[in-house]
Amino acid sequence: HINEELKNNETVNDLYFTFEENNDCIEFCFNEPSPKGWSVKPYDKPTKVSRRAIDDYGSKSPPNFPQRLIEITAEPGEGADRLSYPVTLRGIKSDNMELNIVLKTVIQQPLPTSSSMSLRDEVNSATAISQRQILNTSHLGDILDLLKRHGYSGVNYYDFGLHLGLLPRTLNVIDMERGDVSSHFRLCLEKWLQQADDVKGKGGPTYDTLIQALRKIEQNAAADGIDRELSIGKF
């Protein structure tokens, strides 16, 4: 997954651990303040993964372990060229009780635009691309905000996930995870963005397939609202 999302990632060592006695989860602690120029925020607080979830996912071949989303943003200026952020671990026994998030920023030059292209053409072109572009887990926060703005909270995420291309076995595992409907819905979208199961067969993780899936579960108001927002280039 790292190789797919981050083409320039560095190789990291595996973490070997055992659970502490009478403990049934591993907790990732984001206690340190974010360095200057950076913001590091976990989506779930506290950020935990249960022993059962690890065992269930790890029993698959190849293993497909549970994930937790972390939002990391960089602001232009001093200190934003490199991030080094420690995350301490609780609930386990290991030779390494701290993970270090290391990122480097790369400044990309904007693509030149044609002077003969009208503003309307630029907006329409960008919108058409945005609805068909393949999304990934870095878009999860934007997608959650988009769905929330248009009134869909994921209350029937199981059916929604089926229409996005996820299989019942994946959704059943999500359903067994600790947490409320919103956390299960977030995991459902994560799997979709990771192109699990038959997501590619449904057209891949795009805004277009998201809208189609909403219509199939009769969330037409949300689908229409998202379609309108994308069509005017607001999103």
Side-chain angles (χ1 to χ4, degrees):
H1 174 68
I2 292 176
N3 287 330
E4 289 294 326
E5 300 295 334
L6 303 172
K7 302 300 183 182
N8 297 322
N9 66 289
E10 298 179 2
T11 302
V12 295
N13 295 326
D14 292 331
L15 173 67
Y16 296 94
F17 65 90
T18 58
F19 285 96
E20 291 180 345
E21 189 175 354
N22 299 323
N23 188 66
D24 63 351
C25 69
I26 178 173
E27 181 177 358
F28 301 86
C29 303
F30 296 79
N31 298 325
E32 296 296 323
S34 298
K36 184 177 180 180
W38 292 87
S39 173
V40 181
K41 297 179 181 178
Y43 268 66
D44 298 309
K45 294 182 180 180
T47 308
K48 296 182 178 181
V49 180
S50 68
R51 182 200 296 252
R52 185 178 68 176
I54 292 174
D55 291 342
D56 287 344
Y57 279 85
S59 63
K60 296 181 179 181
S61 181
N64 185 14
F65 292 104
Q67 301 180 28
R68 292 296 179 264
L69 189 67
I70 306 166
E71 181 183 86
I72 300 176
T73 56
E75 295 291 338
E78 183 181 353
D81 57 331
R82 186 177 186 274
L83 169 69
S84 179
Y85 184 87
V87 180
T88 54
L89 307 175
R90 289 181 182 171
I92 62 170
K93 297 177 182 178
S94 175
D95 292 336
N96 185 3
M97 296 298 293
E98 183 177 278
L99 302 178
N100 203 34
I101 301 174
V102 178
L103 293 175
K104 296 179 181 178
T105 57
V106 177
I107 299 176
Q108 295 182 340
Q109 297 298 325
L111 295 174
T113 57
S114 172
S115 58
S116 62
M117 181 180 289
S118 68
L119 177 60
R120 181 176 179 179
D121 289 338
E122 290 182 22
V123 171
N124 289 340
S125 176
T127 301
I129 293 172
S130 69
Q131 292 195 48
R132 294 194 302 268
Q133 75 175 112
I134 297 297
L135 307 171
N136 56 51
T137 52
S138 68
H139 298 96
L140 179 58
D142 292 334
I143 293 169
L144 286 168
D145 290 341
L146 181 67
L147 290 166
K148 183 178 180 180
R149 281 200 301 275
H150 294 283
Y152 183 63
S153 61
V155 63
N156 52 347
Y157 71 87
Y158 195 105
D159 293 340
F160 189 45
L162 290 174
H163 290 297
L164 289 173
L166 299 179
L167 297 178
R169 65 169 180 263
T170 298
L171 292 164
N172 289 339
V173 172
I174 291 174
D175 200 43
M176 290 189 298
E177 282 271 7
R178 290 184 178 180
D180 55 14
V181 170
S182 63
S183 63
H184 291 169
F185 179 45
R186 186 163 58 247
L187 288 172
C188 174
L189 289 176
E190 283 184 39
K191 287 298 178 185
W192 175 61
L193 292 168
Q194 292 164 9
Q195 302 189 41
D197 301 335
D198 191 36
V199 169
K200 288 184 179 179
K202 296 287 186 178
T206 68
Y207 290 120
D208 186 55
T209 56
L210 188 77
I211 292 170
Q212 292 179 29
L214 286 169
R215 296 196 189 284
K216 288 179 180 178
I217 59 171
E218 299 182 353
Q219 293 290 329
N220 293 317
D224 291 341
I226 292 172
D227 195 22
R228 282 194 300 270
E229 184 170 336
L230 291 172
S231 68
I232 62 175
K234 178 182 176 183
F235 180 59

